[in-house]
Amino acid sequence: MVLLINCSKSDDQMVFCEYINSDWKLNSSARVNETGDKITTQQIAINGWYEVNIPATVMSGLRQNGLYPDIYFSNNIDTISSEPFKKSWWYVKEFTIDKWDDNEFYSLKFEGINYQANIWLNGHRIATSEVAEGPFRMIDLDITKYASSKNRLAVEVIPPEPASLTIGFVDWNPNAPDNNMGLWRGVQLKRSGKVSIENVAISSKLNLENLSEADLTLDVEIKNHSSKSISGSFNAKIDKNINFNVPYSLLPNESKRIVLDESTNPELHIKIPRVWWPSNMGDPELYVAEFSLFADRKLSHAKSERFGIREISDYTFNIGNITHRGYTINGRKLLLKGGGWVDDLLLADTDDKVRAQVEYVKDMNMNLIRLEGFWGNSKALYDACEENGILLMIGLSCQWEWTSYCNRPENDFMCVVDEHDIKMVTQSFQDQVKWGMNNPSIFVWVFGSDKLPVPALETSLRKAIRDYDKERCILLSCQNVKSDVSGPSGSKMFGPYEYVPPIYWYIDTKYGGAYGFNTETGPGAQIPPIESLKRMLKCEDLPLVNKEGWQFHSGRNEFRNLDRFLHNYENRYWKDADIEDFAFNVQMSNYEAVRAMFEAFVVKRNSGATGVVQWMLNSAWPEMVWQLYDWYLNPNGAYFGTKAANKPLNLIYNYGDRNIYLSNSLLEDRSLIAQIQLYDIKSKKVMDEKIPLTTKAESVESIFSLSNLTAPSDVYFLSMKLLDNANPENIIADSFYWLSAKEDKPDFENSEWFYTPTREFASFSQLKDLSQVEIDSKWNITPQNDKKAATVSLTNNNDKIAFFIEMRVVDEDGQTVLPVTWSDNYVTLLPNESRTFEAVFKSDGTDDNLTVKLKGFNVK
């Protein structure tokens, strides 16, 4: 398989770089007691070895061959011995170089090896394990004098030791039995003439007053591979209007960087640029730049880069004596709304699965993904983010900070302290910077998670980044800490990671509440729908909530069970006797808990709240905790609570002051009507207000108060609709809350780093008094580009509320079609209300085999 990536072709269609990711062979050194020179001179037959496509850790490669098929089910992963993975494993690849030319230069780039490797080509060792060390190193090896038209490559992958700075999970889920050893990213074959383009960094500077012009800077690194001096020209083509050549000269084997900007090349001053914006702020406009390098009047190398024109900066401010940090893009303040990403347990995500998840992030009206030590096994994540307007926050793993995970002495800093490790980590980070430096989604490089890097490491990392990337922000730690090198981080990680009620986010001023930039937090467990539970648990374990089977798919350490979540759920709602009822009803708790977290940061964006990262966005394997959608890509109630909270135009109920707020995150003013209705538990309408208003761009304001309201029943309902003033039939946003006359009261005095208990609980038990209703439904399925769309119309012909309705598109086996994006879900219909929804999905089945299934809390 040949994949062209960030490369161009010459006039005779020569490929300058390609991935050689398919048709590898895999075997354990326990079964192959030979050295790399014999393996790569074909003295050792590789017939009968496992056939794999990379990226593939050893475990995922074996799964490609049918071994360990049920590793994600029940506790099967615990039954797999780690012994086979304590020895090295061989990856072997035979490849042909088309149009082989002795006058050209060739190299192999290994984008990710965990943990060390000896690398051999055609009988020659081209890298030792001292050179190829560290999972985030990108090893670029000159193979010119060893390569030929036909080649055999062998990589002996050595597993990480207990104290290695490897890829790894912490308290989220179990570790892979092989500790993710292997070629976890791809391998590129690169070729060029005598000179090559090694790196191009494209940065932009905008006129922030009106975005009417931009200046580009190209920082071009070129290399002479020959033993002779060379002169030639470098050509740049950007969009339709930029095309220029500049001369260069290189000494023998010299590398040089050329900096080009509007002062040297006026073409790099752009009028009316297409600007890259995050989701819900504008379109993520992209440019393609094509670069060519000529030597002796012949094309020697070509490269293409996709980039966006945008300008990132950060700022700090104080609340009391604590420094906080915020970010701007294109001169506008950002409210960061994101989730913490994790790769698949075996680092085996497909590109399609990655893209589907990024589309989920956009669908939830979020604008950020935080990467902590898991950075994707290909560029699929990065490409999808830049295309969908999703910002990326890229940082190292907290696994390197704690003795229990990295087997190193623990102190106030990351456990990267000696000269060797500092050098390796610095080079690794710089490799990642060069790999992604033109991606407009990446806005900040992060060093520590919970802790600081030691001063020597921080200084080294800063220099390594600034050598190539002078525009993006640097965040030294996600925790609220102060560096002797650069001052306070300005971020916070004060929890919680367990359930807290909606009011918490509005009234807390000491821990994780809505102020500053909370880099990871959330209301704990997010139990998936029943369909996912049935796929991950044994039948006998399914009804035993919070028993051994469930706990195995919860977190680790403090998060090994669901005790705290269930304590809150059962006090606020009830204890369900039936597992089907529990799996459905618990989505109400998921929905309201996560919605309030995001909404609180939206409401307080003008009073010191700059961002929040839900811990977590996704899961490495099927589990019960920290996920807006599960490993199967099945969204839970928290997904739709997040989507509701982050609508660009929205009406929000503040649980703290009981006021209603209008939020506008768009870059334009709007003329609207707010319709506010209140219903008691018997569906009697007790209030109906319509308020015409004009909302300013990027604003949030209180428009109505319920602070003096006497609750009409123990449980009551707040329905808010935002209507277009020019066309009141057009509903722009719909918000529905179920509220309790008795409020939650957090017990802040007994807070821990991961949890604030609740001392008095809201009560929603009266929901069981809702009258049962019937609703009419109609649906049809139509093609939509390369996908399908289901249009679902629901009508409530009753004078009672139809509460919390779940919609699913299912196949002929009754399984939910995934991934799927709904315009809305877990919805409520007011008395005599009709609404229409749409689901977009991919399906290989015929439309006749697809059905829409409904389930509602009080729907027959």
Side-chain angles (χ1 to χ4, degrees):
M1 179 172 62
V2 173
L3 295 177
L4 188 67
I5 179 164
N6 285 344
C7 297
S8 298
K9 296 180 180 180
S10 65
D11 294 337
D12 61 355
Q13 298 298 296
M14 181 176 71
V15 178
F16 287 106
C17 68
E18 61 189 69
Y19 276 116
I20 54 170
N21 286 353
S22 61
D23 302 322
W24 286 71
K25 303 287 188 176
L26 174 68
N27 215 336
S28 170
S29 63
R31 297 171 59 190
V32 184
N33 190 23
E34 296 292 349
T35 56
D37 56 343
K38 291 185 178 180
I39 293 174
T40 56
T41 52
Q42 307 200 22
Q43 297 180 43
I44 302 299
I46 57 176
N47 296 330
W49 287 32
Y50 299 111
E51 297 182 1
V52 300
N53 295 324
I54 64 169
T57 62
V58 173
M59 274 293 297
S60 62
L62 295 177
R63 278 173 55 82
Q64 289 179 30
N65 287 268
L67 282 73
Y68 310 113
D70 298 320
I71 190 173
Y72 296 93
F73 179 72
S74 186
N75 67 339
N76 287 357
I77 192 172
D78 247 13
T79 68
I80 299 172
S81 171
S82 61
E83 286 301 315
F85 312 110
K86 292 180 178 179
K87 298 181 180 294
S88 62
W89 281 69
W90 287 98
Y91 288 73
V92 175
K93 167 70 177 175
E94 293 179 337
F95 64 96
T96 300
I97 299 179
D98 295 332
K99 299 181 181 178
W100 168 262
D101 189 335
D102 290 333
N103 295 315
E104 290 180 343
F105 294 83
Y106 300 87
S107 66
L108 288 171
K109 184 175 183 179
F110 294 82
E111 294 183 337
I113 303 173
N114 191 28
Y115 181 72
Q116 291 176 287
N118 294 300
I119 305 174
W120 300 76
L121 180 69
N122 300 337
H124 302 275
R125 185 156 67 171
I126 58 175
T128 67
S129 58
E130 288 76 22
V131 172
E133 178 184 8
F136 300 116
R137 282 295 323 276
M138 292 195 172
I139 313 297
D140 208 333
L141 302 173
D142 187 343
I143 62 170
T144 303
K145 62 182 179 181
Y146 307 120
S148 62
S149 59
K150 293 185 178 181
N151 305 273
R152 184 183 275 193
L153 170 69
V155 184
E156 182 192 15
V157 176
I158 301 168
E161 296 293 334
S164 297
L165 297 172
T166 184
I167 302 174
F169 304 90
V170 286
D171 48 18
W172 317 334
N173 46 256
N175 283 312
D178 66 345
N179 284 321
N180 298 122
M181 67 177 295
L183 300 183
W184 69 278
R185 274 183 176 167
V187 178
Q188 276 191 58
L189 170 65
K190 302 191 297 180
R191 68 194 296 170
S192 73
K194 297 176 182 178
V195 293
S196 66
I197 304 167
E198 295 299 297
N199 296 289
V200 181
I202 308 169
S203 58
S204 53
K205 198 75 175 174
L206 279 161
N207 178 339
L208 296 180
E209 289 187 8
N210 52 24
L211 307 182
S212 62
E213 52 191 352
D215 292 320
L216 300 185
T217 298
L218 309 182
D219 187 339
V220 185
E221 184 177 12
I222 59 176
K223 182 177 182 178
N224 181 2
H225 298 273
S226 75
S227 58
K228 297 180 180 180
S229 296
I230 294 178
S231 296
S233 65
F234 170 79
N235 174 256
K237 295 181 180 179
I238 302 175
D239 216 22
K240 297 178 181 179
N241 301 319
I242 300 176
N243 190 345
F244 61 85
N245 290 280
V246 295
Y248 73 87
S249 60
L250 291 168
L251 298 174
N253 302 115
E254 181 187 17
S255 292
K256 179 185 289 187
R257 289 169 68 169
I258 304 169
V259 178
L260 308 172
D261 57 25
E262 76 283 357
S263 66
T264 60
N265 296 85
E267 300 93 337
L268 294 174
H269 179 77
I270 300 176
K271 295 284 190 181
I272 317 298
R274 304 193 312 273
V275 177
W276 189 93
W277 287 101
S279 179
N280 283 335
M281 293 184 74
D283 294 327
E285 296 282 359
L286 293 169
Y287 287 76
V288 175
E290 297 179 351
F291 306 111
S292 304
L293 200 60
F294 293 85
D296 300 328
R297 298 184 179 181
K298 293 182 179 179
L299 179 64
S300 181
H301 196 219
K303 187 178 181 69
S304 67
E305 292 284 349
R306 191 164 67 171
F307 71 99
I309 294 178
R310 59 99 178 94
E311 189 171 329
I312 290 283
S313 65
D314 61 358
Y315 61 94
T316 59
F317 58 96
N318 286 347
I319 299 177
N321 60 354
I322 299 179
T323 299
H324 296 278
R325 189 174 302 273
Y327 294 88
T328 68
I329 187 165
N330 305 331
R332 305 280 189 160
K333 285 187 175 181
L334 274 167
L335 176 63
L336 296 169
K337 299 172 289 186
W341 174 274
V342 65
D343 291 350
D344 172 76
L345 180 67
L346 303 182
L347 312 184
D349 285 319
T350 65
D351 288 357
D352 285 345
K353 185 172 184 179
V354 168
R355 287 185 172 276
Q357 292 181 79
V358 174
E359 290 172 5
Y360 273 1
V361 173
K362 182 178 181 180
D363 182 60
M364 285 185 281
N365 297 304
M366 300 163 85
N367 58 17
L368 168 69
I369 292 174
R370 179 188 165 198
L371 308 181
E372 184 197 323
F374 289 92
W375 295 355
N377 64 11
S378 74
K379 278 200 169 178
L381 174 62
Y382 302 81
D383 292 344
C385 283
E386 70 179 10
E387 292 163 8
N388 286 280
I390 305 301
L391 294 161
L392 281 168
M393 176 182 178
I394 299 180
L396 297 171
S397 173
C398 69
Q399 182 188 3
W400 297 358
E401 300 173 343
W402 309 106
T403 297
S404 56
Y405 298 112
C406 69
N407 285 286
R408 293 173 173 228
E410 191 174 308
N411 52 40
D412 292 336
F413 297 93
M414 297 171 63
C415 302
V416 182
V417 295
D418 66 33
E419 183 178 352
H420 169 272
D421 289 346
I422 288 174
K423 182 178 179 180
M424 185 189 70
V425 171
T426 299
Q427 184 61 63
S428 299
F429 213 122
Q430 188 181 76
D431 290 344
Q432 304 302 315
V433 169
K434 290 191 287 187
W435 197 61
M437 61 190 168
N438 293 316
N439 188 308
S441 290
I442 301 171
F443 78 103
V444 62
W445 304 108
V446 185
F447 297 161
S449 176
D450 301 51
K451 297 184 179 183
L452 285 168
V454 297
L457 176 58
E458 181 185 349
T459 301
S460 180
L461 286 170
R462 285 183 179 276
K463 181 181 184 306
I465 290 172
R466 290 301 180 229
D467 280 348
Y468 285 91
D469 184 350
K470 296 178 174 57
E471 66 159 347
R472 287 176 181 81
C473 304
I474 292 174
L475 183 62
L476 65 137
S477 175
C478 289
Q479 183 57 277
N480 182 267
V481 288
K482 186 175 182 180
S483 163
D484 291 338
V485 176
S486 57
S489 65
S491 55
K492 69 173 186 177
M493 276 177 54
F494 298 156
Y497 298 90
E498 286 276 15
Y499 181 87
V500 290
I503 196 172
Y504 169 93
W505 306 100
Y506 288 96
I507 66 174
D508 170 68
T509 59
K510 187 177 179 181
Y511 303 106
Y515 66 95
F517 180 25
N518 197 338
T519 58
E520 60 176 61
T521 191
Q526 278 113 28
I527 294 168
I530 187 65
E531 186 174 19
S532 295
L533 293 173
K534 290 179 177 179
R535 295 175 72 176
M536 60 197 272
L537 297 175
K538 295 177 181 177
C539 291
E540 59 266 31
D541 289 336
L542 185 62
L544 303 178
V545 176
N546 203 28
K547 300 302 182 183
E548 184 177 349
W550 283 64
Q551 290 181 12
F552 193 78
H553 286 265
S554 296
R556 298 297 183 262
N557 303 331
E558 291 88 353
F559 312 106
R560 64 187 178 276
N561 60 52
L562 303 173
D563 288 354
R564 299 177 193 90
F565 172 79
L566 290 174
H567 177 69
N568 281 272
Y569 173 73
E570 291 172 1
N571 275 281
R572 299 179 81 249
Y573 287 89
W574 46 75
K575 185 171 183 177
D576 293 285
D578 179 79
I579 184 59
E580 298 262 357
D581 288 342
F582 172 72
F584 178 79
N585 294 338
V586 80
Q587 303 311 321
M588 292 187 285
S589 178
N590 287 346
Y591 190 110
E592 62 158 354
V594 173
R595 173 171 69 174
M597 178 184 72
F598 281 107
E599 287 183 340
F601 277 81
V602 172
V603 165
K604 298 197 174 187
R605 64 178 297 174
N606 293 333
S607 55
T610 59
V612 60
V613 178
Q614 149 74 14
W615 197 254
M616 300 176 69
L617 169 70
N618 60 347
S619 293
W621 85 316
E623 63 182 347
M624 310 291 178
V625 297
W626 301 333
Q627 57 190 356
L628 301 180
Y629 52 89
D630 60 39
W631 185 79
Y632 309 106
L633 302 186
N634 200 353
N636 63 51
Y639 179 108
F640 295 101
T642 300
K643 180 181 174 81
N646 293 325
K647 292 189 290 284
L649 288 165
N650 207 8
L651 289 170
I652 296 172
Y653 173 73
N654 181 329
Y655 287 84
D657 64 15
R658 303 181 70 196
N659 287 348
I660 293 169
Y661 288 77
L662 171 62
S663 169
N664 178 10
S665 64
L666 301 175
L667 303 183
E668 59 184 29
D669 301 347
R670 293 292 293 269
S671 180
L672 304 164
I673 298 172
Q675 183 176 24
I676 303 168
Q677 297 177 323
L678 212 64
Y679 292 82
D680 68 10
I681 193 64
K682 295 183 178 180
S683 301
K684 178 183 177 182
K685 188 190 298 182
V686 295
M687 187 182 75
D688 192 348
E689 298 281 346
K690 281 191 175 181
I691 307 170
L693 40 81
T694 298
T695 174
K696 298 292 184 182
E698 300 177 289
S699 68
V700 59
E701 60 179 322
S702 174
I703 63 165
F704 194 80
S705 178
L706 297 176
S707 59
N708 295 320
L709 173 75
T710 298
S713 49
D714 289 347
V715 176
Y716 57 103
F717 303 105
L718 173 62
S719 171
M720 300 188 292
K721 289 181 169 59
L722 205 53
L723 313 176
D724 187 342
N725 195 34
N727 180 16
E729 298 298 316
N730 180 19
I731 300 174
I732 295 172
D734 189 298
S735 302
F736 187 87
Y737 296 78
W738 50 105
L739 302 172
S740 169
K742 182 183 178 184
E743 294 185 347
D744 295 291
K745 293 184 180 180
D747 183 6
F748 291 110
E749 291 76 12
N750 289 303
S751 290
E752 300 180 61
W753 66 268
F754 61 94
Y755 178 54
T756 293
T758 306
R759 58 185 174 87
E760 293 186 28
F761 298 92
S763 176
F764 293 103
S765 60
Q766 200 180 29
L767 286 171
K768 290 186 175 182
D769 296 338
L770 284 173
S771 300
Q772 293 291 300
V773 298
E774 293 183 355
I775 60 173
D776 296 332
S777 63
K778 296 179 181 178
W779 52 270
N780 68 293
I781 295 173
T782 56
Q784 188 177 95
N785 300 322
D786 62 337
K787 298 182 179 181
K788 295 181 179 179
T791 302
V792 183
S793 297
L794 304 181
T795 299
N796 180 9
N797 290 318
N798 306 273
D799 61 358
K800 306 296 183 183
I801 286 172
F803 180 59
F804 208 69
I805 303 166
E806 172 197 74
M807 296 170 283
R808 296 186 299 134
V809 179
V810 301
D811 61 21
E812 57 188 343
D813 297 321
Q815 296 296 306
T816 302
V817 177
L818 300 170
V820 59
T821 55
W822 283 92
S823 57
D824 200 358
N825 210 332
Y826 293 112
V827 298
T828 295
L829 297 182
L830 300 177
N832 301 302
E833 182 179 28
S834 296
R835 293 176 65 189
T836 300
F837 309 92
E838 184 180 73
V840 178
F841 55 92
K842 282 188 176 181
S843 174
D844 296 329
T846 64
D847 295 353
D848 293 339
N849 293 330
L850 298 172
T851 308
V852 175
K853 294 286 188 182
L854 306 177
K855 180 179 176 66
F857 180 79
N858 66 325
V859 175
K860 295 179 183 179

